[in-house]
Amino acid sequence: MNMTQDLSFLHLIQNASVLVQLVMGLLLLVSLLSWWYIFLKMFAVRLAVKQSGEFEEAFWESPDIGKLYQAINAKQDQAGSMERIFAAGVTEFVKLKKKSGIESRAIMDGTRRAMRAACQREMDNLESHLSFLATVGSVSPYVGLFGTVWGIMNAFRGLSNVGQATLAHVAPGIAEALVATAMGLFAAIPAVVAYNRYAHDITRLSSRFESFMEEFSNVLQRQP
Amino acid sequence: MNSTLAHPYSEPYRLPAGALALGVHAAFFALIYFGISWRAEPPQGMVVDIWESLPQAEVTPAKAAPPPVEQVEPAKPVELPKPVETPKSAEPEQPATPIKADIELAEKKKPKIKPAEIKKDVEAKKLAQKKLEAEQAARAEQAAREERAAREEQAAQAERERERERARAEQAAAIGKVVDEHKARIIAKIRRNIVMPPDVPDSARAEFEVTLLPGGSVLSAKLARPSGRDAYDSAVERAIFKAQPLPLPADVALFNKFRELRLKFSPKE
């Protein structure tokens, strides 16, 4: 009847071997981090989509580039990704325009390069930590499995010392070990789901940025 | 431009995201904690399996429990008067003497004032007597009480034992009934399956030792006493195996009574 005491969740963790405990600790840390990134990315992507939509609306409604540029500069770090791409393009365009003796084609090339660089930076920022989620999603089940296999190995090794083998001798050990797999899966499943979701969202944002860049260069080219 | 680009990458939602992550984990651990502690209870339920082998013990306390109560109740009213009697014989005397003494004292007081000392002595003696009497009464009472308690206990124990024996006997009788009934059923079922060979005298009697398995299948059937007619013996043996599964009582605990059966068969009956 020891089983009733041993199967409490905290007992399972306490009685696990050191290595299994280490694996559980690692998985707990990884899971905490991945959930933190999941929520961080959720807020960041949502904000980026919202800001891009707002900026596109504002851009197509008022053709006054100078006003928009000043508004963005006034916003400082509150500016959204698309606004920063726009600002980078405008800055480069104005700089090149001021220099005399540059062909309009060279000006447009320079402006597009500047915008592409800004876009790359934005994408890099949005995609940061996504690789962490992907790694957690693919690796933590294996880490959990490792802890489980180790725990079960120990359980069976303990069984060999007992003359009469019953399920009661192995059950607590296996239950302990399986906690590691449970934790690994708990870390992995949301990480995989979140990775796929955010990767898709960010790809859509990136294509939106690119089409905006093309359209904006057309607008700049028409500029006197 | 660089100044505008350096800051914006600081994520604004660090704290809420961290709090949400912690919340998710707290919820998950609460789920696991309560889930597993809930699952840890079933092993206690397995204790029931141990009781399964002691259905007799379970019945006897149920039957034996009420009678002691009944016995204790009638025993008290019968024996209670006794203790009341002894104190009564001692107590009424006590109040009677002081009253008399008081009256005497009052009478003495009126004519003379001197006898006050004598009164005191008398009073002291009376007090001492009272004390002695009270002590004796108390002792007697205690002894009576102890005796009573002992008697009650003995009576209760005897009654309990009697009850238990009765319950045991009843149970044994009940079990015997069930066993007999099922033996009869087994024999009847086998008899139905006998294909009677021709020319078997009514006096033929075959005895078989049949070993059963739980569930009613036949492990072995040995001819313990041949009837003298080989045809009849083999017909009965075939019938025993044909009659599988043999009817057994629903109570698994009774199977031990059916593990090895000695069955008698004769063509007439």
Side-chain angles (χ1 to χ4, degrees):
Chain A
M1 298 310 106
N2 294 328
M3 283 175 66
T4 47
Q5 296 168 358
D6 288 344
L7 282 181
S8 134
F9 181 60
L10 292 178
H11 271 272
L12 285 185
I13 293 177
Q14 271 174 15
N15 295 337
S17 65
V18 178
L19 190 104
V20 178
Q21 277 177 341
L22 275 179
V23 165
M24 286 183 197
L26 180 76
L27 284 172
L28 182 68
L29 195 76
V30 161
S31 170
L32 271 170
L33 263 181
S34 83
W35 273 95
W36 187 48
Y37 285 141
I38 286 170
F39 285 115
L40 219 55
K41 279 288 121 185
M42 187 183 82
F43 290 132
V45 168
R46 218 182 261 174
L47 187 72
V49 170
K50 192 184 145 216
Q51 281 177 334
S52 306
E54 279 172 1
F55 176 73
E56 269 185 325
E57 229 170 80
F59 177 75
W60 292 116
E61 267 174 19
S62 79
D64 192 348
I65 293 169
K67 239 188 201 171
L68 275 174
Y69 181 67
Q70 271 163 8
I72 289 163
N73 266 356
K75 271 190 191 172
Q76 291 281 341
D77 28 326
Q78 248 88 59
S81 308
M82 207 180 255
E83 288 168 321
R84 280 196 288 269
I85 294 169
F86 169 81
V90 172
T91 317
E92 189 62 28
F93 181 74
V94 171
K95 266 186 199 164
L96 289 172
K97 266 271 165 147
K98 273 179 190 165
K99 285 189 181 173
S100 53
I102 301 177
E103 281 180 41
S104 67
R105 203 171 161 187
I107 293 174
M108 285 323 297
D109 280 349
T111 311
R112 212 170 271 167
R113 270 197 300 275
M115 284 201 288
R116 205 168 295 137
C119 178
Q120 294 288 332
R121 225 172 282 136
E122 292 303 322
M123 293 313 299
D124 180 58
N125 179 39
L126 279 173
E127 277 173 355
S128 65
H129 308 316
L130 265 195
S131 66
F132 178 81
L133 286 184
T135 311
V136 168
S138 54
V139 167
S140 65
Y142 296 118
V143 177
L145 204 59
F146 171 64
T148 298
V149 168
W150 191 268
I152 290 181
M153 265 161 61
N154 274 347
F156 279 115
R157 219 182 49 198
L159 193 65
S160 67
N161 298 332
V162 187
Q164 210 175 16
T166 61
L167 201 59
H169 288 122
V170 215
I174 291 179
E176 271 161 39
L178 285 174
V179 171
T181 302
M183 290 176 78
L185 289 178
F186 176 70
I189 293 167
V192 171
V193 170
Y195 174 77
N196 286 332
R197 172 79 203 274
Y198 298 148
H200 174 69
D201 283 355
I202 288 169
T203 316
R204 282 185 65 198
L205 263 179
S206 136
S207 63
R208 209 162 149 186
F209 290 163
E210 259 159 42
S211 50
F212 170 76
M213 269 153 53
E214 297 302 320
E215 283 163 343
F216 183 51
S217 11
N218 280 342
V219 171
L220 281 180
Q221 208 161 15
R222 271 183 262 131
Q223 218 73 12
Chain B
M1 189 178 120
N2 275 336
S3 62
T4 50
L5 285 174
H7 288 285
Y9 296 116
S10 61
E11 278 128 341
Y13 295 109
R14 269 165 194 264
L15 276 181
L20 278 171
L22 280 177
V24 166
H25 283 81
F28 177 67
F29 278 103
L31 197 90
I32 276 199
Y33 186 74
F34 292 116
I36 289 197
S37 63
W38 177 73
R39 270 178 222 161
E41 278 169 37
Q44 289 177 339
M46 284 167 67
V47 179
V48 175
D49 290 3
I50 298 164
W51 284 99
E52 205 180 5
S53 61
L54 296 167
Q56 300 171 346
E58 235 181 341
V59 179
T60 38
K63 280 182 184 172
V69 180
E70 290 171 4
Q71 288 159 357
V72 174
E73 280 170 354
K76 271 181 184 169
V78 177
E79 285 164 23
L80 270 175
K82 283 178 194 168
V84 180
E85 277 169 36
T86 39
K88 263 181 191 170
S89 58
E91 281 168 11
E93 286 172 3
Q94 286 169 350
T97 41
I99 292 166
K100 277 176 198 168
D102 283 349
I103 297 164
E104 281 172 358
L105 288 174
E107 283 172 354
K108 282 172 189 173
K109 269 180 193 172
K110 281 171 190 173
K112 294 166 189 175
I113 310 164
K114 281 179 186 175
E117 288 169 19
I118 303 162
K119 281 179 217 161
K120 275 180 192 169
D121 285 352
V122 174
E123 274 178 52
K125 275 177 192 171
K126 277 176 189 168
L127 275 174
Q129 262 194 338
K130 270 187 228 166
K131 270 185 194 170
L132 269 174
E133 277 169 21
E135 274 174 34
Q136 278 174 348
R139 261 178 238 154
E141 238 184 299
Q142 262 201 342
R145 260 184 231 153
E146 277 164 23
E147 262 183 65
R148 248 177 288 138
R151 252 180 272 149
E152 275 172 39
E153 265 181 50
Q154 277 181 348
Q157 271 191 342
E159 273 294 324
R160 260 177 253 149
E161 271 168 38
R162 256 176 267 151
E163 275 296 324
R164 260 179 235 157
E165 272 167 35
R166 241 178 276 156
R168 257 178 239 153
E170 273 171 36
Q171 265 212 331
I175 288 171
K177 233 189 228 175
V178 174
V179 170
D180 288 346
E181 194 189 315
H182 281 269
K183 269 186 189 168
R185 272 198 220 165
I186 287 171
I187 289 178
K189 192 172 184 191
I190 292 170
R191 194 177 292 285
R192 258 181 272 137
N193 284 291
I194 293 177
V195 180
M196 196 58 84
D199 302 332
V200 179
D202 289 353
S203 59
R205 272 192 144 231
E207 275 188 37
F208 277 86
E209 271 183 9
V210 179
T211 313
L212 290 185
L213 291 173
S217 47
V218 178
L219 185 67
S220 69
K222 238 194 261 170
L223 184 61
R225 222 192 69 187
S227 63
R229 292 276 181 150
D230 289 350
Y232 183 65
D233 293 345
S234 57
V236 171
E237 197 181 342
R238 256 177 276 133
I240 289 172
F241 283 101
K242 213 175 163 189
Q244 289 183 81
L246 296 173
L248 288 178
D251 191 351
V252 185
L254 290 179
F255 175 71
N256 280 337
K257 309 244 174 200
F258 289 89
R259 199 176 289 280
E260 284 181 359
L261 291 175
R262 199 178 171 91
L263 303 175
K264 291 174 190 173
F265 295 93
S266 62
K268 236 190 177 183
E269 248 174 48

XYZ file of all heavy atoms in Angstrom, chain A residues 79 87 111 138 151:
27
model
N 7.390 53.493 -33.919
C 7.059 53.256 -35.313
C 7.009 51.775 -35.623
O 7.746 50.979 -35.059
C 8.107 53.918 -36.202
N 10.515 54.995 -43.975
C 11.407 56.075 -43.558
C 12.795 55.888 -44.167
O 13.429 56.845 -44.642
C 11.491 56.112 -42.024
N 17.595 53.795 -53.475
C 16.436 53.830 -52.573
C 15.920 52.411 -52.298
O 15.636 52.025 -51.172
C 15.306 54.675 -53.186
O 15.852 55.905 -53.626
C 14.202 54.904 -52.195
N 11.333 20.311 -31.731
C 11.858 19.057 -32.272
C 12.713 18.299 -31.269
O 12.798 17.081 -31.336
C 12.661 19.329 -33.540
O 13.653 20.288 -33.268
N 15.148 6.556 -16.519
C 14.371 6.203 -15.328
C 13.898 4.761 -15.369
O 13.951 4.037 -14.384
